[in-house]
Amino acid sequence: MRDDPGDQRWYRQAVIYCVDVDSYADGNGDGWGDFQGLRLRLPHLARLGITCLWLNPINVTPHRDDGYDVSDYYGLDPRLGTIGEVVEFLHEAADRGIRVVIDLVVNHTSDQHPWFVDATSDPESPYRDFYVWSKDEPADRFQGMVFPGEQRETWSWSEEAGAWYYHRFYKFQPDLNWRNPRVREEILRVMGFWLQLGVSGFRVDAAPFVIELVEPGPQPDVNDFHILDDWRRFLQWRQGDAVLLGEANVTPQDVPQYFGSSPESADRLHMLFDFVLNPRIFLALARKSAEPLAEQLTDAVKVPRGGQWVTFLRNHDELDLSRLTDSQRDEVLAAFAPEENMRLYGRGIRRRLAPMLGGDQRRVELAYALQFSLPGTPCIRYGEEIGMGDDLDLHGRDAFRTPMQWDGKAGAGFSRADPKEFVRPVITEGPFAYQKVNVARQRSDTGSLLTWMQQIINVRRECPECGVGDLSLVDGAGIPPEVLAHRIDGADGSVVFFHNLCDEPRTVDPGAASGLDDAGDIEQLFADGEAEPLGDRLEPFDVPGYGYRWIRLLR
C-alpha cells in the first residue's frame, strides 16, 4: 500500500449526507423547508458526525421536476430563503467542520429559463445557439429517452421557434448546446459564483449527457471530456480543495474516462457514485449470500490516484437496478418491491431502506455496516439515520422525499404551518408514522437506530483505511458462503470485516481462511449487539444472524 499524499484529501475521509432543503426543516413557518431551518438543525448533523452536506437543487425553478428544471443559475429558489441566509448557513456549517456541495444541473435548463424564452422568440437571439435545434423532424425523435413511460420523445416541436429542440429528459427541460463556447463560459461563471459564496464543490447531475455533443441527423453523437477538464482546471484555480462529484451511471469500461485522462491520476472528476456496486449490495441482501458482492469487489474498476468512489444505499432517486441482469433484477424486486406501486420504470424501486427491509433494525444496521466497510466515501440520505419510511400514495420519487421527522408533535417538528401547506405530507400512518419514528424519540434511546448511526459514523472516521486503502477478499473453507469477509490495508494499518447476510448464526474459522496469514494481535472495533467478546487473537468465532464484526489487525 503506497503512502500517497492524495490520501489526505478531505473528500477521501468524508461522510456525506444528502438533503432536500425543502423537506428538511422549515424555519419561517410557511410549510417549506429552507436554509434558516437547515441552519438551525446543524447541531443534529454535527452530533451525527457527518462532514459533508450534499444539497439537492436549490436554484430558482418552476418545480416541475423537483428543482432539476433550473430557471436561474445565479438565483436561489425564494421558497428556500435568501442568498444572505445561504451565506450565513455556509459560515455556520464551516464552523462545525461541515463542507457543503450543491447540485450542478447543467445538462438542461427549464423551458422557463430566460435563455430559452429569448431563444424561442427570435431566431437571431444571442441565446438561440444555447440550445440544440433542428429545422426538420429528427429521425431519432423517439430514441434515447431517460424516463420511458413518462416521456414520449427526445425532440419536441416549438411553435414559437418554428423548429425542433432536443431534450434528453422531459420536454420542459431543453438541453444546453455544449458545442457553444459561450455556454461553457457561462457555466464556469455559475460555478465561480457559488464557490465565492462558500460551497466546497458540485455534484454534477447527469454527467454523461452533459459531455454528449448532440447534432440532429445520422451522425453519431460525440462525448467531449474536455468539458470536465475545463471544470477541473477552473476549480483548481479558484479553490484548490473544491471537488466534483459525478453522477455517471455508465458501464465499468467507460468509468476511467470520467476519473481522468490517464489511468494514473484522477484529473477530471474527483469522485463518482458507484452505480455498479449499489445494486449488487441489494442482490446480496436478497440472496442472503456474499457471492454477488465478492464477485463485484473482485472485478471493480481500479480507481486512479486521487480518485474516489462514493458508496450509497439510497439517495434522492429510485434504486436503479438497470446494471443487473433480468433474472437478478427480478430477484431484487421480488425481495424488496413485491408490489407494482413500489416500482418505477420497471427497473427501479421507489422506497426507503427501512421499509424495504421490513422495518427490521438488525437488517438495516447490517446494510449500513456493509456499506460503511467498503472502499470509498459513504453517502447517506436524510432520514435514513432514524429509519424513515415512504409514502407510496405520492407520485413517483416523492414517495421517499417526505418531510424529515424531528419529533412526535403536530407537523413532526418539520414546520409549524398547517400540514395542508407542507411541501409534501408527513407520514402519519403505519409503523413509520412520525409519532413512532422521529429524532427526539430515538435521541434518548441508547438502542435506537440513530444512536447506532452516530456510533458507526464515528467508528468509520477512526478507520482511515476505508477511505484510501486496498481491499482484498478473505475466503476459503473457514468463511461460510453467507458471510462477506474482506480486509482493507492502509499505509498505517489494516482492518478486517465480517458480515453475515443471512438470519442464522454462522461460524468463521480464520485459521482455515486465506487472506489472514499475517494476523497477529487484534482489537475489535465494532460489532452487533449479540456478538460475543473476542480474545487477543483471531480464533474461530460465531457471527449472529445479520451480524457483523470489524476487527483491527495489530501488526
Side-chain angles (χ1 to χ4, degrees), residues 251-326:
T251 65
Q253 294 79 9
D254 291 332
V255 161
Q257 297 180 86
Y258 288 85
F259 273 123
S261 56
S262 78
E264 301 302 320
S265 178
D267 56 8
R268 282 179 180 148
L269 299 177
H270 301 79
M271 298 187 285
L272 284 171
F273 288 107
D274 198 337
F275 284 102
V276 177
L277 179 66
N278 175 250
R280 284 298 186 119
I281 294 175
F282 284 92
L283 182 60
L285 293 173
R287 290 181 176 176
K288 300 183 179 181
S289 165
E291 182 269 334
L293 257 179
E295 182 181 77
Q296 174 53 35
L297 292 170
T298 300
D299 297 337
V301 174
K302 184 172 177 59
V303 177
R305 186 179 64 176
Q308 187 80 333
W309 287 121
V310 172
T311 64
F312 63 101
L313 295 178
R314 294 297 297 113
N315 60 16
H316 67 298
D317 277 333
E318 72 276 9
L319 172 60
D320 188 347
L321 305 176
S322 62
R323 295 288 162 197
L324 300 179
T325 66
D326 290 347

Side-chain angles (χ1 to χ4, degrees), residues 128-187:
R128 184 75 164 201
D129 198 37
F130 268 45
Y131 298 90
V132 183
W133 301 93
S134 176
K135 291 184 178 180
D136 302 316
E137 180 179 348
D140 59 349
R141 175 184 169 191
F142 299 106
Q143 298 175 12
M145 291 173 288
V146 175
F147 303 129
E150 294 189 27
Q151 188 183 358
R152 291 187 57 251
E153 56 193 0
T154 52
W155 290 87
S156 289
W157 175 257
S158 169
E159 195 68 41
E160 187 174 5
W164 298 85
Y165 66 91
Y166 182 73
H167 53 91
R168 172 64 81 165
F169 292 80
Y170 296 113
K171 67 180 297 182
F172 55 81
Q173 294 168 321
D175 273 35
L176 286 168
N177 177 17
W178 281 91
R179 292 182 184 274
N180 185 344
R182 289 188 58 216
V183 169
R184 301 188 184 208
E185 293 168 3
E186 191 62 36
I187 297 307

Side-chain angles (χ1 to χ4, degrees), residues 499-518:
H499 294 86
N500 182 5
L501 278 68
C502 75
D503 54 357
E504 297 292 335
R506 290 293 181 266
T507 299
V508 169
D509 182 0
S514 61
L516 291 176
D517 305 330
D518 60 344

Side-chain angles (χ1 to χ4, degrees), residues 93-110:
D95 281 349
R96 294 180 179 274
I98 299 174
R99 296 175 184 262
V100 178
V101 170
I102 65 172
D103 263 353
L104 184 68
V105 186
V106 293
N107 172 70
H108 50 262
T109 71
S110 165

Side-chain angles (χ1 to χ4, degrees), residues 362 365 452 526-532 544 546-548:
R362 294 180 309 153
E365 290 178 0
W452 182 89
F526 194 51
D528 62 273
E530 299 180 16
E532 295 290 333
Y546 300 133
Y548 49 88

Side-chain angles (χ1 to χ4, degrees), residues 233-417:
R233 281 192 295 268
F234 182 81
L235 258 64
Q236 295 295 111
W237 173 56
R238 283 292 180 93
Q239 185 174 312
D241 62 351
V243 298
L244 294 169
L245 166 56
E247 180 198 32
N249 192 351
V250 297
T251 65
Q253 294 79 9
D254 291 332
V255 161
Q257 297 180 86
Y258 288 85
F259 273 123
S261 56
S262 78
E264 301 302 320
S265 178
D267 56 8
R268 282 179 180 148
L269 299 177
H270 301 79
M271 298 187 285
L272 284 171
F273 288 107
D274 198 337
F275 284 102
V276 177
L277 179 66
N278 175 250
R280 284 298 186 119
I281 294 175
F282 284 92
L283 182 60
L285 293 173
R287 290 181 176 176
K288 300 183 179 181
S289 165
E291 182 269 334
L293 257 179
E295 182 181 77
Q296 174 53 35
L297 292 170
T298 300
D299 297 337
V301 174
K302 184 172 177 59
V303 177
R305 186 179 64 176
Q308 187 80 333
W309 287 121
V310 172
T311 64
F312 63 101
L313 295 178
R314 294 297 297 113
N315 60 16
H316 67 298
D317 277 333
E318 72 276 9
L319 172 60
D320 188 347
L321 305 176
S322 62
R323 295 288 162 197
L324 300 179
T325 66
D326 290 347
S327 61
Q328 291 170 342
R329 185 160 55 248
D330 289 344
E331 288 183 71
V332 176
L333 290 173
F336 303 126
E339 299 175 19
E340 192 62 36
N341 72 337
M342 299 173 177
R343 306 175 184 181
L344 201 61
Y345 310 131
R347 66 166 196 267
I349 298 177
R350 63 184 200 107
R351 307 185 74 191
R352 279 189 178 265
L353 182 68
M356 287 172 64
L357 299 179
D360 186 338
Q361 185 172 325
R362 294 180 309 153
R363 296 179 72 191
V364 173
E365 290 178 0
L366 168 68
Y368 275 105
L370 194 57
Q371 179 205 353
F372 273 63
S373 76
L374 297 175
T377 297
C379 178
I380 63 173
R381 174 78 165 153
Y382 83 91
E384 292 295 295
E385 72 269 35
I386 58 172
M388 274 179 57
D390 42 52
D391 184 349
L392 296 175
D393 289 334
L394 298 181
H395 175 72
R397 299 181 180 92
D398 283 351
F400 48 84
R401 295 174 176 175
T402 56
M404 180 69 177
Q405 297 170 191
W406 293 102
D407 58 43
K409 302 174 185 176
F414 164 70
S415 173
R416 60 182 181 272

Side-chain angles (χ1 to χ4, degrees), residues 458-537:
N458 283 306
V459 172
R460 167 60 194 251
R461 292 176 64 181
E462 295 173 8
C463 296
E465 296 91 345
C466 292
V468 300
D470 294 328
L471 178 141
S472 59
L473 294 177
V474 176
D475 53 21
I479 308 298
E482 299 86 0
V483 175
L484 180 72
H486 65 283
R487 63 182 289 172
I488 300 182
D489 297 292
D492 299 316
S494 301
V495 182
V496 62
F497 306 89
F498 301 92
H499 294 86
N500 182 5
L501 278 68
C502 75
D503 54 357
E504 297 292 335
R506 290 293 181 266
T507 299
V508 169
D509 182 0
S514 61
L516 291 176
D517 305 330
D518 60 344
D521 293 341
I522 63 170
E523 173 191 1
Q524 183 162 285
L525 295 176
F526 194 51
D528 62 273
E530 299 180 16
E532 295 290 333
L534 294 178
D536 295 332
R537 310 284 291 184

